[in-house]
Structures are given as structure tokens and as C-alpha cells.
Amino acid sequence: MNNLINIFNNLQSFLMSIFAIFGGITAILQWNNSIKIKRAEYLSNLYDKLNNETIKSIIYMFDYNKTKWYDENFHKGGSQLEIDVDETLNLFSFICYIYERKLISQKEFNFFKYQLDRSLSSPQVEEYLYNVYHHCIHNKTDLCFNSLYNYIKKNKIYNDEFFNNSNCTAYNVYLDWGKSK
């Protein structure tokens, strides 16, 4: 009789262990699925920001506007255009930041890469970023668009003079940071 009770107790313990393992695996799978859904929602929100009307129009301007928008009047009086360009470049820098911190994967980053790379290929965006970079360096202030600059360096989007030569004649200077005009 004791053997039968021991067998029953062992069987009961074994079944409880199986159910606990099965429950643990189910919980892990549900948790993993929940994380995937939250990531998808996060990326969707980020993508929606990229498609905000203001940012979309600035990206379109970067990509297709053949008239010069970055000139000596750009920084005068905090124009709406300057605010919108900064907002767009800040969003790109944030996307680069979460990518460099490995908070999004390469596959997820690729949703934004095309628009980012197309925007950075604009000569006026390059000139603007050159001015801001050297202005921050010269004035010893925090570097605006830091993660965006890291992305540019890592991917060699602009030539070495962009970062290393504050007197590069290839760029017009519209911010006062010590380069003689």
C-alpha cells in the first residue's frame, strides 16, 4: 500500500512539474509576443512622426527643392523654416541614437534609412550640418544632432574635410564661429 501511495505521489509531483514547465513556457511565449507588439507600436509611432506633415514637407524640400533654402537669411530671427529643419534633423538624430544604442535592429532601422540617406545627400543639408557642427565645436557647446553626426562618420557619407577642416572652402558659412568670410 505504501508503494502505491509513493507511486501516486511521485506521479502527482511529475505531472505538477510538467504543468509548471508548460505554464512557464506559455508565459514566456506570451511575454515575448507582447514585447514584439510593443516594438511594432513604437516603430509605428516613430514612422508616423516621420510622416507628420511638417517633417514630410521638409524631407521633400531636402530631396527635391532645387532653390537654395540654406543661405545667409536662414538663421535670422528664428524662422519657421529653421525650426522645422531642426525638428526634422533632430528626429533623424534620435532614430540614429536608438539604432546606435541597439534599441532597434538593422531591419527596423531600414524603415528609416532611405529617407535619412536621401536627406543627407542634399548639398544644402550637408552645408547646414557643416555650419552647425563647427559652430558647436568652436563655441564648445553640446553637439546638436550628435548621433546623426556619428552615423555620417561611421558610414563615410561626407568627406573627411567636413569634420576636420573648419576652413573648408567647399562650404559657405552662415553661422559666426570664427571662419573668415
Side-chain angles (χ1 to χ4, degrees):
M1 183 73 145
N2 279 343
N3 281 343
L4 191 56
I5 292 173
N6 283 341
I7 291 172
F8 181 73
N9 285 339
N10 287 340
L11 182 61
Q12 183 182 9
S13 294
F14 176 74
L15 288 174
M16 294 296 280
S17 296
I18 294 294
F19 287 134
I21 290 171
F22 180 72
I25 290 171
T26 302
I28 288 171
L29 291 174
Q30 288 177 341
W31 176 70
N32 192 31
N33 209 23
S34 172
I35 287 174
K36 286 180 183 177
I37 289 169
K38 286 181 183 175
R39 278 180 85 90
E41 289 172 353
Y42 179 74
L43 289 171
S44 177
N45 288 338
L46 196 54
Y47 193 76
D48 286 346
K49 286 181 184 179
L50 202 58
N51 285 307
N52 149 316
E53 285 304 314
T54 301
I55 290 178
K56 201 166 30 174
S57 70
I58 294 298
I59 291 171
Y60 187 86
M61 180 187 74
F62 290 166
D63 215 5
Y64 298 107
N65 194 348
K66 301 304 177 200
T67 60
K68 190 166 175 75
W69 55 266
Y70 186 59
D71 58 22
E72 61 277 351
N73 296 314
F74 183 81
H75 296 286
K76 292 182 181 169
S79 71
Q80 188 60 47
L81 179 59
E82 182 178 8
I83 292 166
D84 294 345
V85 166
D86 284 349
E87 180 183 353
T88 303
L89 293 173
N90 272 319
L91 178 59
F92 281 142
S93 191
F94 177 71
I95 292 167
C96 291
Y97 171 80
I98 62 175
Y99 176 63
E100 83 185 355
R101 297 282 180 243
K102 299 185 185 330
L103 299 174
I104 60 173
S105 68
Q106 176 69 49
K107 193 182 252 187
E108 293 164 334
F109 179 73
N110 286 341
F111 284 115
F112 310 103
K113 187 174 177 6
Y114 174 78
Q115 289 174 311
L116 172 63
D117 289 347
R118 289 287 298 164
S119 295
L120 292 174
S121 71
S122 164
Q124 290 187 73
V125 170
E126 181 178 357
E127 192 163 75
Y128 175 66
L129 289 172
Y130 174 84
N131 274 264
V132 171
Y133 179 83
H134 289 285
H135 176 78
C136 290
I137 298 298
H138 176 77
N139 291 300
K140 295 177 177 69
T141 60
D142 288 338
L143 191 57
C144 297
F145 320 125
N146 191 40
S147 293
L148 185 59
Y149 289 119
N150 291 342
Y151 176 80
I152 292 166
K153 285 178 188 177
K154 181 180 177 192
N155 293 284
K156 298 179 183 350
I157 293 173
Y158 301 147
N159 65 40
D160 289 338
E161 286 197 68
F162 179 93
F163 293 105
N164 301 327
N165 185 356
S166 63
N167 291 309
C168 183
T169 58
Y171 302 102
N172 293 308
V173 174
Y174 299 119
L175 283 171
D176 179 25
W177 43 268
K179 181 178 175 183
S180 57
K181 294 185 179 184

